[in-house]
Amino acid sequence: MQAIMKSTRAEGLELGRASKPVPGPQDVLVRVLKTGICGTDRHIYEWDAWAAGRIKPPLIVGHEFYGLVEAVGADVRFVKPGDRVSGEGHIGCGRCYCCRTGQAHICDRVDILGVDIQGCFATYVGLPESNIWKVDDEIADDHACLFDPFGNAMHTVTAQEVFGKQVLVTGCGTIGLMAIGICHEAGADRIIAADPNPVKRRMAKDLGADIVLEQAEERAVKDLTDRGGADVLLEMSGHPDAISSGFRCLRSGAEVSLLGIPPGEITIHWAEQIVFKGLTIHGINGRRMFETWYQCESFIRRHPTLMDSLITHRLRFDQFEEGIRAIQDGGACKVILDWTGAET
């Protein structure tokens, strides 16, 4: 089959050929039709420090997909050939305390599709039946491959109440923009978005941000609220300065959801900015399986126009480098690759 792969420990990806997955007794083989390019794929392409320390070539990359079930293993019970599906890319061990108490998204021994195991940027991808998600008939194909990143945004937003709250979103990348759209539809009283990229600020405004700033400065944000600072911080950038300034912009008793991953250790005035303020902090990793998927299904089904506005590029699978460049240039939100013409 055709596949986009990291073949060597160096910058770049290549379109080549790989063996078609053979499903085990509890596995599902999916004919991939749509995939989304993620920031993780960019890191692997650029071969940054994280990728060099985590990725073991040769590897098929990619973890956001939609397709049709091609074949199933002998013990598969609830999925059949022809089903429209997406899939949860975090595969837990199923045996640890977290997996057995409804927290499989933070399994210590998790395998991630396209990171630890062969991914979905290929004609076919295989997953355990337990990770397969049947796609509702009302959801468009292009939207169906967005469950994974949209789930990150949904998890970040729903970790705390946002209805009637004044929300600060730092970082308007793809998932930050998705979070803005969710907050707007969830009835946030005021959404303040901060990002240095003017294109992303315009997108944030279009998706429901009431105020867009180049950066979240404490005095400016507090002046824009009527309660001594924002009620909620959704930190989506991972930039140390954005994290530090975001905490300073909060009122006492506020809640924080941290999705962005900083490049290393960061410094926060722990007593002044967290303890004395009485903040509640949520670390966000992936999606709650499968509560978040049900929330996303409901939202995506009800808001197709918003989902369309998130997709800025639709390309053939063999134009993946053009999609990576669009993300690097800062002009893309979601890039979708079409695999319908891939060789089987």
Side-chain angles (χ1 to χ4, degrees):
M1 65 177 182
Q2 290 186 285
I4 298 170
M5 297 180 289
K6 171 65 74 172
S7 299
T8 61
R9 296 180 62 83
E11 183 178 357
L13 295 168
E14 65 179 41
L15 179 62
R17 299 197 67 83
S19 298
K20 179 180 177 179
V22 177
Q26 297 179 330
D27 296 335
V28 174
L29 181 68
V30 179
R31 169 65 170 97
V32 177
L33 299 178
K34 306 281 185 176
T35 61
I37 299 179
C38 173
T40 300
D41 306 315
R42 172 185 173 176
H43 290 305
I44 297 172
Y45 180 93
E46 295 175 344
W47 201 241
D48 61 13
W50 170 84
R54 178 72 176 266
I55 304 302
K56 296 177 175 60
L59 177 77
I60 300 171
V61 299
H63 54 274
E64 303 174 7
F65 75 93
Y66 157 79
L68 300 177
V69 174
E70 179 84 2
V72 299
D75 295 337
V76 171
R77 293 290 177 264
F78 303 105
V79 177
K80 65 183 185 302
D83 283 347
R84 302 173 70 234
V85 297
S86 182
E88 169 58 57
H90 288 194
I91 302 173
C93 72
R95 299 179 299 277
C96 69
Y97 182 85
C98 286
C99 284
R100 291 186 168 193
T101 56
Q103 302 175 89
H105 62 292
I106 48 175
C107 169
D108 289 336
R109 295 186 289 277
V110 68
D111 283 327
I112 300 177
L113 195 70
V115 173
D116 305 303
I117 60 174
Q118 302 300 332
C120 66
F121 283 7
T123 312
Y124 298 98
V125 66
L127 274 179
E129 181 187 22
S130 57
N131 282 69
I132 291 292
W133 179 265
K134 289 187 180 182
V135 174
D136 188 282
D137 289 340
E138 295 181 28
I139 294 176
D141 293 0
D142 283 356
H143 302 167
C145 72
L146 299 182
F147 271 94
D148 182 298
F150 200 76
N152 286 336
M154 184 66 73
H155 187 183
T156 307
V157 174
T158 58
Q160 61 279 297
E161 180 65 67
V162 297
F163 177 80
K165 300 296 180 66
Q166 298 183 356
V167 181
L168 171 62
V169 181
T170 50
C172 297
T174 300
I175 299 177
L177 291 170
M178 290 175 169
I180 290 168
I182 295 168
C183 286
H184 178 71
E185 296 299 334
D189 175 57
R190 183 172 300 168
I191 304 169
I192 303 168
D195 195 286
N197 185 325
V199 175
K200 296 302 176 65
R201 292 200 299 273
R202 287 196 296 272
M203 290 183 186
K205 192 75 173 177
D206 291 342
L207 285 162
D210 299 287
I211 302 155
V212 293
L213 305 171
E214 188 171 344
Q215 55 187 349
E217 295 180 345
E218 179 180 6
R219 188 70 270 150
V221 172
K222 288 187 173 180
D223 286 346
L224 291 167
T225 67
D226 57 9
R227 51 199 70 173
D231 299 302
V232 174
L233 168 62
L234 307 180
E235 207 306 296
M236 320 298 281
S237 72
H239 194 287
D241 292 342
I243 296 171
S244 179
S245 61
F247 274 92
R248 290 195 299 271
C249 293
L250 295 172
R251 68 164 174 84
S252 294
E255 293 191 70
V256 180
S257 280
L258 302 172
L259 178 77
I261 300 174
E265 293 184 2
I266 61 172
T267 301
I268 293 286
H269 197 306
W270 196 264
E272 182 180 331
Q273 298 300 336
I274 299 176
V275 178
F276 295 158
K277 279 187 171 182
L279 300 187
T280 300
I281 299 175
H282 307 275
I284 307 299
N285 180 15
R287 298 144 299 282
R288 291 186 295 261
M289 294 182 267
F290 278 85
E291 178 186 355
T292 306
W293 284 77
Y294 284 104
Q295 293 168 332
C296 289
E297 178 181 70
S298 176
F299 191 100
I300 293 171
R301 188 168 51 206
R302 292 166 61 88
H303 301 285
T305 302
L306 184 150
M307 301 306 297
D308 276 331
S309 68
L310 293 167
I311 302 172
T312 54
H313 295 71
R314 290 178 170 89
L315 304 170
R316 296 191 313 273
F317 69 96
D318 55 358
Q319 296 176 301
F320 68 92
E321 290 195 274
E322 181 180 336
I324 294 284
R325 286 195 298 271
I327 294 172
Q328 291 173 324
D329 293 343
C333 182
K334 202 66 212 170
V335 178
I336 302 297
L337 300 179
D338 186 341
W339 287 82
T340 55
E343 296 175 12
T344 59

PDB file of all heavy atoms in Angstrom, residues 78 88 96-97 106 144 152 157 173 175 180 182 186 197 229 283 295 309 330 343:
ATOM      1  N   PHE A  78     -18.792  -5.947  17.001  1.00  0.00           N
ATOM      2  CA  PHE A  78     -19.696  -4.811  16.830  1.00  0.00           C
ATOM      3  C   PHE A  78     -19.387  -3.951  15.604  1.00  0.00           C
ATOM      4  O   PHE A  78     -20.069  -2.970  15.360  1.00  0.00           O
ATOM      5  CB  PHE A  78     -19.652  -3.939  18.096  1.00  0.00           C
ATOM      6  CG  PHE A  78     -19.991  -4.696  19.346  1.00  0.00           C
ATOM      7  CD1 PHE A  78     -19.004  -5.065  20.245  1.00  0.00           C
ATOM      8  CD2 PHE A  78     -21.298  -5.078  19.597  1.00  0.00           C
ATOM      9  CE1 PHE A  78     -19.306  -5.784  21.381  1.00  0.00           C
ATOM     10  CE2 PHE A  78     -21.607  -5.797  20.740  1.00  0.00           C
ATOM     11  CZ  PHE A  78     -20.625  -6.156  21.637  1.00  0.00           C
ATOM     12  N   GLU A  88      -9.894   6.198  17.992  1.00  0.00           N
ATOM     13  CA  GLU A  88      -9.099   6.775  19.072  1.00  0.00           C
ATOM     14  C   GLU A  88      -7.661   6.301  18.906  1.00  0.00           C
ATOM     15  O   GLU A  88      -7.385   5.108  18.921  1.00  0.00           O
ATOM     16  CB  GLU A  88      -9.667   6.336  20.423  1.00  0.00           C
ATOM     17  CG  GLU A  88      -8.793   6.635  21.622  1.00  0.00           C
ATOM     18  CD  GLU A  88      -8.452   8.100  21.778  1.00  0.00           C
ATOM     19  OE1 GLU A  88      -9.381   8.933  21.874  1.00  0.00           O
ATOM     20  OE2 GLU A  88      -7.250   8.416  21.803  1.00  0.00           O
ATOM     21  N   CYS A  96      -3.732  -1.492  33.533  1.00  0.00           N
ATOM     22  CA  CYS A  96      -3.259  -0.657  34.636  1.00  0.00           C
ATOM     23  C   CYS A  96      -4.443  -0.024  35.383  1.00  0.00           C
ATOM     24  O   CYS A  96      -5.598  -0.100  34.954  1.00  0.00           O
ATOM     25  CB  CYS A  96      -2.322   0.429  34.119  1.00  0.00           C
ATOM     26  SG  CYS A  96      -3.125   1.710  33.115  1.00  0.00           S
ATOM     27  N   TYR A  97      -4.141   0.631  36.495  1.00  0.00           N
ATOM     28  CA  TYR A  97      -5.176   1.257  37.318  1.00  0.00           C
ATOM     29  C   TYR A  97      -5.974   2.287  36.520  1.00  0.00           C
ATOM     30  O   TYR A  97      -7.207   2.326  36.597  1.00  0.00           O
ATOM     31  CB  TYR A  97      -4.529   1.918  38.536  1.00  0.00           C
ATOM     32  CG  TYR A  97      -5.537   2.560  39.466  1.00  0.00           C
ATOM     33  CD1 TYR A  97      -6.173   1.803  40.447  1.00  0.00           C
ATOM     34  CD2 TYR A  97      -5.858   3.913  39.351  1.00  0.00           C
ATOM     35  CE1 TYR A  97      -7.100   2.373  41.289  1.00  0.00           C
ATOM     36  CE2 TYR A  97      -6.790   4.495  40.199  1.00  0.00           C
ATOM     37  CZ  TYR A  97      -7.416   3.718  41.166  1.00  0.00           C
ATOM     38  OH  TYR A  97      -8.344   4.286  41.998  1.00  0.00           O
ATOM     39  N   ILE A 106      -4.832   8.466  30.063  1.00  0.00           N
ATOM     40  CA  ILE A 106      -3.569   8.769  30.727  1.00  0.00           C
ATOM     41  C   ILE A 106      -2.866   7.482  31.182  1.00  0.00           C
ATOM     42  O   ILE A 106      -2.116   7.477  32.146  1.00  0.00           O
ATOM     43  CB  ILE A 106      -3.746   9.745  31.907  1.00  0.00           C
ATOM     44  CG1 ILE A 106      -4.891   9.316  32.833  1.00  0.00           C
ATOM     45  CG2 ILE A 106      -3.977  11.158  31.387  1.00  0.00           C
ATOM     46  CD1 ILE A 106      -5.029  10.185  34.082  1.00  0.00           C
ATOM     47  N   ALA A 144     -15.465  13.944   9.860  1.00  0.00           N
ATOM     48  CA  ALA A 144     -15.275  12.702  10.608  1.00  0.00           C
ATOM     49  C   ALA A 144     -13.813  12.442  10.951  1.00  0.00           C
ATOM     50  O   ALA A 144     -13.521  11.725  11.909  1.00  0.00           O
ATOM     51  CB  ALA A 144     -15.836  11.523   9.810  1.00  0.00           C
ATOM     52  N   ASN A 152      -9.482  16.933  21.642  1.00  0.00           N
ATOM     53  CA  ASN A 152      -8.553  17.635  22.536  1.00  0.00           C
ATOM     54  C   ASN A 152      -9.150  18.962  22.984  1.00  0.00           C
ATOM     55  O   ASN A 152      -9.070  19.343  24.157  1.00  0.00           O
ATOM     56  CB  ASN A 152      -7.224  17.889  21.829  1.00  0.00           C
ATOM     57  CG  ASN A 152      -6.380  16.646  21.692  1.00  0.00           C
ATOM     58  OD1 ASN A 152      -6.528  15.701  22.450  1.00  0.00           O
ATOM     59  ND2 ASN A 152      -5.496  16.631  20.721  1.00  0.00           N
ATOM     60  N   VAL A 157     -12.012  22.371  27.058  1.00  0.00           N
ATOM     61  CA  VAL A 157     -13.104  23.286  27.415  1.00  0.00           C
ATOM     62  C   VAL A 157     -13.984  22.710  28.507  1.00  0.00           C
ATOM     63  O   VAL A 157     -14.357  23.409  29.459  1.00  0.00           O
ATOM     64  CB  VAL A 157     -13.940  23.621  26.164  1.00  0.00           C
ATOM     65  CG1 VAL A 157     -15.178  24.450  26.552  1.00  0.00           C
ATOM     66  CG2 VAL A 157     -13.108  24.377  25.134  1.00  0.00           C
ATOM     67  N   GLY A 173      -3.711  28.225  17.674  1.00  0.00           N
ATOM     68  CA  GLY A 173      -3.468  27.184  16.685  1.00  0.00           C
ATOM     69  C   GLY A 173      -4.763  26.444  16.422  1.00  0.00           C
ATOM     70  O   GLY A 173      -5.844  26.857  16.870  1.00  0.00           O
ATOM     71  N   ILE A 175      -6.186  23.702  17.580  1.00  0.00           N
ATOM     72  CA  ILE A 175      -6.993  23.267  18.714  1.00  0.00           C
ATOM     73  C   ILE A 175      -7.466  24.461  19.533  1.00  0.00           C
ATOM     74  O   ILE A 175      -8.575  24.454  20.073  1.00  0.00           O
ATOM     75  CB  ILE A 175      -6.214  22.242  19.557  1.00  0.00           C
ATOM     76  CG1 ILE A 175      -5.886  21.024  18.687  1.00  0.00           C
ATOM     77  CG2 ILE A 175      -7.035  21.799  20.760  1.00  0.00           C
ATOM     78  CD1 ILE A 175      -5.055  19.968  19.376  1.00  0.00           C
ATOM     79  N   ILE A 180     -12.195  27.893  20.918  1.00  0.00           N
ATOM     80  CA  ILE A 180     -12.949  29.144  20.851  1.00  0.00           C
ATOM     81  C   ILE A 180     -14.350  28.890  20.320  1.00  0.00           C
ATOM     82  O   ILE A 180     -15.351  29.389  20.858  1.00  0.00           O
ATOM     83  CB  ILE A 180     -12.200  30.173  19.987  1.00  0.00           C
ATOM     84  CG1 ILE A 180     -10.941  30.654  20.720  1.00  0.00           C
ATOM     85  CG2 ILE A 180     -13.101  31.358  19.626  1.00  0.00           C
ATOM     86  CD1 ILE A 180      -9.980  31.441  19.849  1.00  0.00           C
ATOM     87  N   ILE A 182     -16.060  26.129  20.440  1.00  0.00           N
ATOM     88  CA  ILE A 182     -16.826  25.385  21.439  1.00  0.00           C
ATOM     89  C   ILE A 182     -17.295  26.322  22.560  1.00  0.00           C
ATOM     90  O   ILE A 182     -18.454  26.272  22.983  1.00  0.00           O
ATOM     91  CB  ILE A 182     -15.984  24.229  22.010  1.00  0.00           C
ATOM     92  CG1 ILE A 182     -15.684  23.202  20.918  1.00  0.00           C
ATOM     93  CG2 ILE A 182     -16.716  23.556  23.174  1.00  0.00           C
ATOM     94  CD1 ILE A 182     -14.632  22.174  21.312  1.00  0.00           C
ATOM     95  N   ALA A 186     -21.023  27.190  23.663  1.00  0.00           N
ATOM     96  CA  ALA A 186     -21.378  26.759  25.022  1.00  0.00           C
ATOM     97  C   ALA A 186     -21.850  27.909  25.906  1.00  0.00           C
ATOM     98  O   ALA A 186     -22.155  27.699  27.077  1.00  0.00           O
ATOM     99  CB  ALA A 186     -20.171  26.067  25.673  1.00  0.00           C
ATOM    100  N   ASN A 197       0.033  35.733  15.802  1.00  0.00           N
ATOM    101  CA  ASN A 197      -0.192  35.592  14.363  1.00  0.00           C
ATOM    102  C   ASN A 197      -1.476  36.315  13.954  1.00  0.00           C
ATOM    103  O   ASN A 197      -2.564  35.948  14.398  1.00  0.00           O
ATOM    104  CB  ASN A 197      -0.293  34.098  14.013  1.00  0.00           C
ATOM    105  CG  ASN A 197      -0.408  33.842  12.518  1.00  0.00           C
ATOM    106  OD1 ASN A 197      -1.021  34.608  11.792  1.00  0.00           O
ATOM    107  ND2 ASN A 197       0.180  32.751  12.070  1.00  0.00           N
ATOM    108  N   GLY A 229     -10.261  39.853  36.545  1.00  0.00           N
ATOM    109  CA  GLY A 229      -9.487  38.917  35.740  1.00  0.00           C
ATOM    110  C   GLY A 229     -10.384  37.858  35.134  1.00  0.00           C
ATOM    111  O   GLY A 229     -11.577  37.765  35.446  1.00  0.00           O
ATOM    112  N   GLY A 283      -4.693  19.393  34.056  1.00  0.00           N
ATOM    113  CA  GLY A 283      -3.784  18.984  32.996  1.00  0.00           C
ATOM    114  C   GLY A 283      -4.569  18.170  31.980  1.00  0.00           C
ATOM    115  O   GLY A 283      -5.259  17.206  32.339  1.00  0.00           O
ATOM    116  N   GLN A 295     -19.438  13.695  23.218  1.00  0.00           N
ATOM    117  CA  GLN A 295     -19.617  15.151  23.203  1.00  0.00           C
ATOM    118  C   GLN A 295     -19.285  15.717  21.825  1.00  0.00           C
ATOM    119  O   GLN A 295     -20.003  16.581  21.298  1.00  0.00           O
ATOM    120  CB  GLN A 295     -18.721  15.792  24.273  1.00  0.00           C
ATOM    121  CG  GLN A 295     -19.120  15.462  25.691  1.00  0.00           C
ATOM    122  CD  GLN A 295     -18.058  15.872  26.702  1.00  0.00           C
ATOM    123  OE1 GLN A 295     -16.877  15.922  26.397  1.00  0.00           O
ATOM    124  NE2 GLN A 295     -18.477  16.165  27.921  1.00  0.00           N
ATOM    125  N   SER A 309     -15.550  25.818   8.592  1.00  0.00           N
ATOM    126  CA  SER A 309     -14.703  27.010   8.715  1.00  0.00           C
ATOM    127  C   SER A 309     -13.335  26.679   9.292  1.00  0.00           C
ATOM    128  O   SER A 309     -12.382  27.452   9.114  1.00  0.00           O
ATOM    129  CB  SER A 309     -15.399  28.063   9.579  1.00  0.00           C
ATOM    130  OG  SER A 309     -15.493  27.636  10.928  1.00  0.00           O
ATOM    131  N   GLY A 330       1.977  29.337   9.088  1.00  0.00           N
ATOM    132  CA  GLY A 330       1.018  29.953   9.996  1.00  0.00           C
ATOM    133  C   GLY A 330      -0.287  30.361   9.348  1.00  0.00           C
ATOM    134  O   GLY A 330      -1.118  31.016   9.981  1.00  0.00           O
ATOM    135  N   GLU A 343      -3.258   3.971  -4.043  1.00  0.00           N
ATOM    136  CA  GLU A 343      -3.213   2.620  -4.574  1.00  0.00           C
ATOM    137  C   GLU A 343      -3.492   1.595  -3.479  1.00  0.00           C
ATOM    138  O   GLU A 343      -3.003   1.729  -2.354  1.00  0.00           O
ATOM    139  CB  GLU A 343      -1.836   2.350  -5.187  1.00  0.00           C
ATOM    140  CG  GLU A 343      -1.528   3.232  -6.391  1.00  0.00           C
ATOM    141  CD  GLU A 343      -0.121   3.027  -6.882  1.00  0.00           C
ATOM    142  OE1 GLU A 343       0.537   2.066  -6.445  1.00  0.00           O
ATOM    143  OE2 GLU A 343       0.336   3.827  -7.738  1.00  0.00           O
TER     144      GLU A 343
END
